[in-house]
C-alpha cells in the first residue's frame, strides 16, 4: 500500500496540479479585488448603489434578499470574465510557432538518390 501511495504521488501531474491550485488560491484575491474595487464601483456609479444587496421583499416576518443573490451572480460573472480574458491573453502569448513548409519526404529523397546513382 505504501508503494502504491508513492507511485500515486510520483505520478506525473500531481505536483503540477498542486502548484496550479496554490497559484489559483493566491490569485483569487487579486481578481476579487478587481471586482470589488473597480467593477462594482462602476456599477454603483451607474445604478446609484454599490451593489444590489438591498433589493428584496418581505415574506411574513422575514426579508428575502434577492439582490444579495444578484450581487453574487454579478461578482461570479465578472470573475469568470476576467479569468476568461487572462486565459485568452496567455494563450495568445504562447502560440506555437508556425510550422515550416514540408519539403520532400525521406522516401522521396532516397528515391532521388537511388535514381541519381543509377544514372551516374
Amino acid at each position: 500500500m505504501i508503494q502504491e501511495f508513492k507511485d500515486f504521488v510520483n505520478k506525473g501531474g500531481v505536483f503540477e496540479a498542486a502548484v496550479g491550485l496554490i497559484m489559483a488560491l493566491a490569485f483569487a484575491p487579486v481578481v476579487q479585488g478587481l471586482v470589488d474595487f473597480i467593477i462594482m464601483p462602476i456599477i454603483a456609479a451607474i445604478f446609484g448603489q454599490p451593489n444590489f444587496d438591498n433589493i428584496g421583499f418581505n415574506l411574513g416576518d422575514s426579508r428575502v434578499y434577492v439582490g444579495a443573490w444578484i450581487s453574487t451572480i454579478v461578482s461570479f460573472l465578472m470573475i469568470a470574465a476576467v479569468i476568461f480574458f487572462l486565459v485568452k491573453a496567455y494563450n495568445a502569448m504562447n502560440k506555437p510557432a508556425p510550422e515550416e513548409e514540408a519539403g520532400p519526404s525521406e522516401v522521396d529523397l532516397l528515391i532521388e538518390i537511388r535514381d541519381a546513382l543509377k544514372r551516374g
Side-chain angles (χ1 to χ4, degrees):
M1 181 141 72
I2 292 174
Q3 184 59 39
E4 287 181 61
F5 179 73
K6 285 181 182 179
D7 292 342
F8 171 75
V9 170
N10 291 327
K11 203 175 226 183
V14 172
F15 183 74
E16 290 85 3
V19 170
L21 179 62
I22 291 168
M23 291 300 293
L25 291 173
F27 189 67
V30 174
V31 176
Q32 189 65 47
L34 173 69
V35 170
D36 290 344
F37 304 125
I38 296 175
I39 295 172
M40 291 310 275
I42 292 171
I43 290 175
I46 295 169
F47 294 105
Q49 292 184 6
N51 54 41
F52 305 109
D53 290 349
N54 294 327
I55 298 172
F57 58 90
N58 292 328
L59 185 63
D61 292 337
S62 63
R63 178 110 172 122
V64 177
Y65 291 99
V66 178
W69 183 70
I70 293 171
S71 290
T72 303
I73 297 295
V74 168
S75 180
F76 169 77
L77 292 174
M78 293 299 124
I79 291 170
V82 167
I83 292 171
F84 172 78
F85 289 119
L86 287 173
V87 168
K88 292 286 279 182
Y90 176 80
N91 288 340
M93 289 189 308
N94 293 319
K95 276 187 181 175
E99 293 185 22
E100 295 180 20
E101 288 187 28
S105 68
E106 288 181 29
V107 174
D108 293 334
L109 291 174
L110 290 172
I111 291 171
E112 284 182 41
I113 293 171
R114 181 196 66 195
D115 293 345
L117 289 172
K118 281 183 182 179
R119 279 180 272 157

